[in-house]
């Protein structure tokens, strides 16, 4: 008598459990003082290492191919700076019945900030999408956000953007671009080793996100922003953000298919076009909102945690989709059709 086979998928993704455990740890033992400095430093180092490893593993030809993928980059920019703000403006109808004006200002602000970089790339890598294109798309979004986000905030929120500086641009260059270029420069010596040990990238992908979650949630606990809004309002805000995230995930996935993108590109568009950067939003909020910055970034902090947890499930689900021996996606998954064109070399299964 044949024994029943165990289920192919666990009821809850183990990585989601790790994320929840990290949030719980930050709530119970938030990093304060020197510990907060150490947590921020560790998160920064992990992100720099992530980009160094990607630079060392990706060939220059693959990186240039991603750079030339201008239709994908324009699609991500349109989602980040056009569709997101339009949805944020539509949410104005919820004031004051469901959302207070300060919470709505924060919700609209999160719709204006650029896309996150490291988690978009990490999830694209986990899902076996177009990593070079995701690197370029996330970087372009962050660079554009240096100028576009303050201008949009000044126009839609009435904030003064005159004090915005180029510090964020310098941070992006130092933490992201330079490690990537260093990895490209050393690829000749370390690329082969990293190719033979692909699990290293997986550990760094997941570990960097966990560090970012812990540092971000600890900062919110230390600032006390979670106690400045009632539980009913907080529940409504989370429900609105859940709808916002669901709409963006659906639009980026199925909209990219309508535009003719293949599966690997759709993955990059979905993960880069549906996210918002907490790291970029926090310094911008401190300038745009002044003393009210802590409450203004509450919607962004909640959305940040939500997008990480939801996209962790999506990335693992896409990575586990059945494949043919040549790596082609099988059409038996409701949201993973066969790519109509050959996949990029970096998008094949690892």
């Amino acid at each position: 008598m044949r024994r029943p086979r165990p289920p192919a998928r666990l009821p809850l993704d183990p990585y989601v459990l790790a994320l929840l455990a990290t949030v719980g740890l930050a709530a119970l033992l938030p990093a304060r003082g020197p510990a907060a400095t150490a947590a921020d430093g560790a998160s920064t180092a992990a992100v720099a290492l992530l980009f160094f490893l990607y630079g060392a593993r990706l060939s220059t030809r693959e990186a240039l191919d991603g750079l030339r993928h201008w239709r994908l980059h324009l699609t991500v920019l349109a989602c980040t700076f056009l569709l997101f703000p339009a949805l944020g403006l539509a949410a104005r109808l919820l004031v004051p019945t469901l959302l207070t004006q300060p919470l709505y200002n924060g919700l609209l602000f999160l719709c204006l900030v650029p896309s996150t970089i490291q988690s978009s790339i990490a999830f694209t890598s986990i899902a076996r999408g177009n990593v070079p294109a995701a690197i370029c798309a996330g970087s372009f979004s962050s660079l554009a956000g240096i100028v576009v986000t303050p201008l949009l905030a000044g126009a839609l929120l009435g904030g003064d953007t005159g004090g915005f500086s180029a510090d964020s641009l310098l941070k992006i260059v130092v933490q992201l671009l330079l490690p990537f270029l260093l990895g490209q420069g050393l690829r000749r010596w370390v690329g082969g080793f990293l190719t033979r040990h692909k699990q290293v990238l997986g550990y760094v992908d997941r570990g960097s996100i966990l560090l970012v979650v812990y540092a971000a949630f600890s900062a919110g606990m230390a600032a006390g922003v979670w106690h400045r809004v009632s539980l009913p309002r907080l529940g409504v805000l989370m429900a609105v953000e859940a709808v916002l995230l669901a709409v963006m995930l659906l639009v980026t996935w199925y909209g990219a298919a309508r535009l003719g993108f293949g599966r690997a590109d759709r993955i990059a568009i979905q993960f880069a076009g549906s996210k918002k950067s907490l790291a970029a939003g926090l310094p911008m909020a401190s300038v745009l909102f002044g003393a009210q910055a802590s409450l203004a970034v509450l919607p962004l902090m909640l959305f940040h945690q939500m997008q990480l947890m939801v996209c962790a499930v999506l990335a693992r689900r896409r990575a586990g989709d059945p494949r043919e021996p040549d790596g082609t996606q099988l059409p038996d998954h409701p949201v993973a059709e066969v790519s109509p064109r050959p996949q990029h070399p970096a998008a094949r299964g690892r």
Side-chain angles (χ1 to χ4, degrees), residues 1-314:
M1 181 177 180
R2 181 176 298 178
R3 296 181 179 179
R5 299 180 62 182
R9 299 179 185 272
L10 295 175
L12 185 60
D13 193 293
Y15 191 54
V16 175
L17 293 177
L19 287 169
L20 293 174
T22 303
V23 171
L25 178 63
L28 296 175
L29 298 172
R32 302 176 186 273
T37 303
D40 291 338
S43 178
T44 300
V47 171
L49 179 59
L50 172 67
F51 274 80
F52 172 81
L53 292 175
Y54 277 125
R57 185 176 182 274
L58 292 176
S59 69
T60 303
R61 180 183 59 81
E62 289 175 342
L64 291 178
D65 287 344
L67 184 63
R68 297 189 185 103
H69 209 343
W70 61 270
R71 290 183 63 246
L72 185 147
H73 305 322
L74 288 180
T75 301
V76 172
L77 290 174
C79 292
T80 303
F81 297 115
L82 292 179
L83 182 55
F84 253 117
L87 293 175
L89 290 174
R92 180 66 176 81
L93 299 175
L94 302 178
V95 180
T97 55
L98 297 178
L99 295 176
T100 63
Q101 188 64 43
L103 286 180
Y104 169 73
N105 289 341
L107 179 66
L108 180 57
F109 174 70
L110 90 82
C111 292
L112 308 181
V113 301
S115 174
T116 186
I117 302 179
Q118 60 267 24
S119 61
S120 297
I121 297 171
F123 288 135
T124 299
S125 175
I126 294 171
R128 300 171 182 178
N130 193 335
V131 175
I135 291 176
C136 295
S139 300
F140 291 162
S141 177
S142 294
L143 291 173
I146 298 298
V147 176
V148 175
T149 297
L151 292 179
L152 287 176
L156 301 180
L157 291 169
D160 182 11
T161 60
F164 192 77
S165 68
D167 291 343
S168 297
L169 176 60
L170 179 62
K171 185 176 181 180
I172 290 174
V173 171
V174 172
Q175 294 187 11
L176 306 179
L177 182 59
L178 289 183
F180 180 81
L181 294 178
L182 180 61
Q184 282 277 289
L186 297 179
R187 181 180 181 274
R188 177 180 178 183
W189 294 276
V190 302
F193 174 81
L194 295 177
T195 301
R196 293 190 301 269
H197 300 80
K198 297 179 180 180
Q199 289 186 347
V200 174
L201 282 178
Y203 292 140
V204 174
D205 290 344
R206 293 162 177 79
S208 63
I209 294 175
L210 293 178
L211 282 173
V212 170
V213 168
Y214 178 76
F217 205 89
S218 293
M221 294 296 296
V225 299
W226 312 105
H227 304 292
R228 301 183 186 180
V229 59
S230 65
L231 287 179
R233 295 285 188 181
L234 184 62
V236 171
L237 176 62
M238 294 180 65
V240 172
E241 292 190 345
V243 172
L244 176 64
L245 178 59
V247 169
M248 290 304 303
L249 288 173
L250 290 173
V251 169
T252 52
W253 182 252
Y254 291 106
R258 294 293 299 271
L259 292 175
F261 289 100
R263 176 185 179 274
D265 293 340
R266 292 169 67 190
I267 290 174
I269 292 172
Q270 184 177 55
F271 288 128
S274 63
K275 288 191 177 58
K276 291 297 182 177
S277 174
L278 182 66
L282 288 176
M284 293 180 184
S286 64
V287 174
L288 296 173
F289 293 96
Q292 300 298 321
S294 297
L295 185 58
V297 300
L298 175 59
L300 178 59
M301 295 182 72
L302 291 174
F303 190 83
H304 183 79
Q305 311 304 325
M306 188 181 300
Q307 71 186 9
L308 291 180
M309 294 179 184
V310 172
C311 290
V313 176
L314 280 178

